[in-house]
Short mmCIF file of all heavy atoms in Angstrom, two decimals:
data_model
loop_
_atom_site.label_atom_id
_atom_site.label_comp_id
_atom_site.label_asym_id
_atom_site.label_seq_id
_atom_site.Cartn_x
_atom_site.Cartn_y
_atom_site.Cartn_z
N MET A 1 89.31 91.44 92.32
CA MET A 1 90.18 92.44 92.95
C MET A 1 89.52 93.05 94.19
O MET A 1 88.30 93.24 94.23
CB MET A 1 90.51 93.55 91.95
CG MET A 1 91.48 93.15 90.87
SD MET A 1 91.78 94.55 89.73
CE MET A 1 93.06 93.85 88.69
N PHE A 2 90.33 93.30 95.20
CA PHE A 2 89.83 94.00 96.38
C PHE A 2 90.03 95.51 96.17
O PHE A 2 91.09 95.93 95.71
CB PHE A 2 90.58 93.54 97.63
CG PHE A 2 90.05 94.14 98.89
CD1 PHE A 2 88.95 93.57 99.53
CD2 PHE A 2 90.62 95.29 99.42
CE1 PHE A 2 88.45 94.14 100.69
CE2 PHE A 2 90.11 95.86 100.58
CZ PHE A 2 89.03 95.28 101.21
N PRO A 3 89.01 96.33 96.47
CA PRO A 3 87.75 96.01 97.14
C PRO A 3 86.58 95.72 96.19
O PRO A 3 85.43 95.70 96.62
CB PRO A 3 87.48 97.27 97.96
CG PRO A 3 88.04 98.37 97.11
CD PRO A 3 89.23 97.79 96.40
N ASN A 4 86.85 95.53 94.89
CA ASN A 4 85.76 95.26 93.94
C ASN A 4 84.91 94.07 94.34
O ASN A 4 83.71 94.03 94.07
CB ASN A 4 86.32 95.01 92.54
CG ASN A 4 87.06 96.21 91.98
OD1 ASN A 4 87.03 97.29 92.56
ND2 ASN A 4 87.73 96.03 90.86
N ILE A 5 85.56 93.09 94.99
CA ILE A 5 84.86 91.87 95.39
C ILE A 5 83.69 92.18 96.32
O ILE A 5 82.69 91.45 96.36
CB ILE A 5 85.86 90.88 96.07
CG1 ILE A 5 85.21 89.52 96.28
CG2 ILE A 5 86.39 91.45 97.36
CD1 ILE A 5 84.95 88.74 95.02
N LEU A 6 83.79 93.26 97.07
CA LEU A 6 82.70 93.65 97.99
C LEU A 6 81.45 94.02 97.21
O LEU A 6 80.33 93.64 97.58
CB LEU A 6 83.15 94.81 98.88
CG LEU A 6 84.39 94.56 99.76
CD1 LEU A 6 84.76 95.83 100.51
CD2 LEU A 6 84.13 93.41 100.72
N VAL A 7 81.63 94.77 96.14
CA VAL A 7 80.49 95.13 95.28
C VAL A 7 79.97 93.89 94.56
O VAL A 7 78.76 93.66 94.50
CB VAL A 7 80.91 96.19 94.25
CG1 VAL A 7 79.77 96.48 93.27
CG2 VAL A 7 81.34 97.48 94.95
N ALA A 8 80.90 93.07 94.03
CA ALA A 8 80.50 91.88 93.29
C ALA A 8 79.65 90.94 94.14
O ALA A 8 78.61 90.45 93.70
CB ALA A 8 81.74 91.15 92.78
N ASN A 9 80.09 90.69 95.35
CA ASN A 9 79.38 89.76 96.23
C ASN A 9 78.01 90.29 96.65
O ASN A 9 77.07 89.52 96.84
CB ASN A 9 80.21 89.44 97.46
CG ASN A 9 81.38 88.53 97.15
OD1 ASN A 9 81.40 87.87 96.11
ND2 ASN A 9 82.36 88.48 98.03
N ASN A 10 77.92 91.59 96.80
CA ASN A 10 76.66 92.18 97.27
C ASN A 10 75.64 92.40 96.17
O ASN A 10 74.46 92.61 96.45
CB ASN A 10 76.93 93.50 97.99
CG ASN A 10 77.42 93.29 99.42
OD1 ASN A 10 76.65 92.93 100.30
ND2 ASN A 10 78.71 93.50 99.64
N PHE A 11 76.09 92.35 94.92
CA PHE A 11 75.17 92.60 93.81
C PHE A 11 75.08 91.43 92.84
O PHE A 11 74.64 91.58 91.70
CB PHE A 11 75.57 93.88 93.06
CG PHE A 11 75.31 95.14 93.85
CD1 PHE A 11 76.31 95.71 94.63
CD2 PHE A 11 74.06 95.73 93.84
CE1 PHE A 11 76.08 96.86 95.36
CE2 PHE A 11 73.81 96.88 94.57
CZ PHE A 11 74.82 97.45 95.34
N GLY A 12 75.47 90.25 93.30
CA GLY A 12 75.24 89.04 92.52
C GLY A 12 76.13 88.82 91.32
O GLY A 12 75.73 88.12 90.38
N PHE A 13 77.34 89.37 91.34
CA PHE A 13 78.27 89.13 90.24
C PHE A 13 79.12 87.90 90.56
O PHE A 13 80.21 88.00 91.13
CB PHE A 13 79.18 90.35 90.02
CG PHE A 13 78.47 91.54 89.45
CD1 PHE A 13 77.99 92.55 90.27
CD2 PHE A 13 78.27 91.64 88.08
CE1 PHE A 13 77.34 93.65 89.75
CE2 PHE A 13 77.61 92.75 87.54
CZ PHE A 13 77.14 93.75 88.38
N ALA A 14 78.60 86.74 90.22
CA ALA A 14 79.30 85.49 90.51
C ALA A 14 80.42 85.26 89.51
O ALA A 14 80.41 85.80 88.40
CB ALA A 14 78.31 84.32 90.47
N ALA A 15 81.40 84.45 89.90
CA ALA A 15 82.49 84.10 88.99
C ALA A 15 81.94 83.29 87.83
O ALA A 15 81.00 82.51 87.98
CB ALA A 15 83.55 83.31 89.74
N ALA A 16 82.55 83.46 86.66
CA ALA A 16 82.16 82.70 85.46
C ALA A 16 83.23 81.68 85.15
O ALA A 16 84.41 81.90 85.43
CB ALA A 16 81.95 83.64 84.28
N ASP A 17 82.83 80.55 84.57
CA ASP A 17 83.77 79.50 84.21
C ASP A 17 84.22 79.63 82.76
O ASP A 17 83.47 80.10 81.90
CB ASP A 17 83.14 78.11 84.40
CG ASP A 17 83.39 77.56 85.79
OD1 ASP A 17 83.82 78.35 86.66
OD2 ASP A 17 83.14 76.37 86.02
N LEU A 18 85.44 79.20 82.50
CA LEU A 18 85.96 79.17 81.15
C LEU A 18 85.32 78.04 80.36
O LEU A 18 84.88 77.04 80.94
CB LEU A 18 87.48 78.97 81.16
CG LEU A 18 88.31 80.04 81.88
CD1 LEU A 18 89.77 79.62 81.89
CD2 LEU A 18 88.15 81.39 81.22
N PHE A 19 85.26 78.19 79.05
CA PHE A 19 84.83 77.12 78.16
C PHE A 19 86.11 76.37 77.79
O PHE A 19 86.77 76.67 76.81
CB PHE A 19 84.15 77.69 76.93
CG PHE A 19 83.59 76.65 75.99
CD1 PHE A 19 83.55 75.31 76.33
CD2 PHE A 19 83.09 77.02 74.76
CE1 PHE A 19 83.03 74.36 75.46
CE2 PHE A 19 82.56 76.09 73.88
CZ PHE A 19 82.53 74.75 74.23
N GLU A 20 86.45 75.40 78.62
CA GLU A 20 87.75 74.75 78.49
C GLU A 20 87.59 73.25 78.72
O GLU A 20 87.31 72.80 79.84
CB GLU A 20 88.72 75.34 79.51
CG GLU A 20 90.15 74.90 79.35
CD GLU A 20 91.08 75.68 80.27
OE1 GLU A 20 90.79 75.73 81.48
OE2 GLU A 20 92.07 76.22 79.77
N ILE A 21 87.78 72.47 77.68
CA ILE A 21 87.66 71.02 77.78
C ILE A 21 88.77 70.51 78.69
O ILE A 21 89.94 70.86 78.52
CB ILE A 21 87.73 70.37 76.39
CG1 ILE A 21 86.57 70.88 75.53
CG2 ILE A 21 87.69 68.86 76.48
CD1 ILE A 21 86.64 70.49 74.08
N SER A 22 88.40 69.67 79.66
CA SER A 22 89.34 69.28 80.71
C SER A 22 90.34 68.23 80.26
O SER A 22 91.49 68.22 80.71
CB SER A 22 88.56 68.76 81.93
OG SER A 22 87.72 67.69 81.57
N ASN A 23 89.94 67.31 79.38
CA ASN A 23 90.83 66.24 78.94
C ASN A 23 91.86 66.79 77.94
O ASN A 23 91.48 67.29 76.89
CB ASN A 23 90.01 65.12 78.28
CG ASN A 23 90.86 63.89 77.99
OD1 ASN A 23 92.04 63.98 77.70
ND2 ASN A 23 90.25 62.73 78.07
N PRO A 24 93.16 66.72 78.25
CA PRO A 24 94.18 67.29 77.35
C PRO A 24 94.10 66.74 75.93
O PRO A 24 94.34 67.46 74.97
CB PRO A 24 95.50 66.87 78.02
CG PRO A 24 95.15 66.66 79.45
CD PRO A 24 93.74 66.12 79.44
N VAL A 25 93.76 65.46 75.79
CA VAL A 25 93.66 64.85 74.46
C VAL A 25 92.49 65.46 73.69
O VAL A 25 92.58 65.74 72.49
CB VAL A 25 93.49 63.32 74.57
CG1 VAL A 25 93.28 62.71 73.18
CG2 VAL A 25 94.71 62.70 75.23
N GLU A 26 91.39 65.70 74.39
CA GLU A 26 90.18 66.19 73.75
C GLU A 26 90.21 67.69 73.51
O GLU A 26 89.34 68.24 72.84
CB GLU A 26 88.96 65.81 74.59
CG GLU A 26 88.73 64.30 74.63
CD GLU A 26 87.71 63.88 75.68
OE1 GLU A 26 87.36 64.72 76.53
OE2 GLU A 26 87.29 62.72 75.66
N LYS A 27 91.21 68.38 74.07
CA LYS A 27 91.33 69.82 73.84
C LYS A 27 91.69 70.13 72.40
O LYS A 27 91.37 71.20 71.89
CB LYS A 27 92.41 70.42 74.77
CG LYS A 27 91.95 70.65 76.20
CD LYS A 27 93.07 71.31 76.98
CE LYS A 27 92.63 71.58 78.42
NZ LYS A 27 93.69 72.25 79.20
N GLU A 28 92.37 69.20 71.76
CA GLU A 28 92.81 69.44 70.39
C GLU A 28 91.63 69.45 69.44
O GLU A 28 90.68 68.69 69.61
CB GLU A 28 93.80 68.35 69.97
CG GLU A 28 95.05 68.28 70.83
CD GLU A 28 95.89 69.52 70.76
OE1 GLU A 28 95.91 70.13 69.67
OE2 GLU A 28 96.51 69.89 71.76
N ASN A 29 91.70 70.32 68.44
CA ASN A 29 90.67 70.32 67.42
C ASN A 29 90.68 68.98 66.68
O ASN A 29 91.71 68.33 66.56
CB ASN A 29 90.91 71.44 66.41
CG ASN A 29 90.60 72.80 67.00
OD1 ASN A 29 89.98 72.89 68.04
ND2 ASN A 29 91.05 73.84 66.34
N ILE A 30 89.54 68.60 66.15
CA ILE A 30 89.45 67.37 65.37
C ILE A 30 90.33 67.51 64.13
O ILE A 30 90.22 68.48 63.39
CB ILE A 30 88.00 67.09 64.97
CG1 ILE A 30 87.15 66.90 66.23
CG2 ILE A 30 87.90 65.86 64.08
CD1 ILE A 30 85.67 66.91 65.97
N LYS A 31 91.20 66.56 63.94
CA LYS A 31 92.09 66.60 62.77
C LYS A 31 91.37 66.02 61.58
O LYS A 31 91.12 64.83 61.51
CB LYS A 31 93.36 65.80 63.06
CG LYS A 31 94.17 66.33 64.26
CD LYS A 31 94.67 67.74 64.00
CE LYS A 31 95.62 68.21 65.08
NZ LYS A 31 95.01 68.33 66.40
N VAL A 32 90.98 66.87 60.64
CA VAL A 32 90.28 66.43 59.43
C VAL A 32 91.25 66.49 58.26
O VAL A 32 91.56 67.54 57.74
CB VAL A 32 89.05 67.32 59.16
CG1 VAL A 32 88.34 66.86 57.89
CG2 VAL A 32 88.09 67.31 60.33
N SER A 33 91.72 65.31 57.87
CA SER A 33 92.63 65.23 56.71
C SER A 33 91.98 64.36 55.65
O SER A 33 92.61 63.52 55.03
CB SER A 33 93.98 64.62 57.15
OG SER A 33 93.77 63.34 57.71
N PHE A 34 90.71 64.57 55.47
CA PHE A 34 89.89 63.73 54.62
C PHE A 34 89.93 64.27 53.20
O PHE A 34 89.40 65.32 52.92
CB PHE A 34 88.46 63.77 55.16
CG PHE A 34 87.62 62.57 54.81
CD1 PHE A 34 87.86 61.37 55.43
CD2 PHE A 34 86.60 62.66 53.89
CE1 PHE A 34 87.08 60.27 55.15
CE2 PHE A 34 85.82 61.56 53.58
CZ PHE A 34 86.06 60.35 54.22
#
C-alpha cells in the first residue's frame, strides 16, 4: 500500500512468496484410500 511501500523499501521489508505448488495436478493432497 502507498505510502507504506516507502517505509518497506527503505527498511528492507521485501515481498514474501506464498507456499503454493504451481502444478494444478500436484496441488491436490495425496489421496490415501489404503
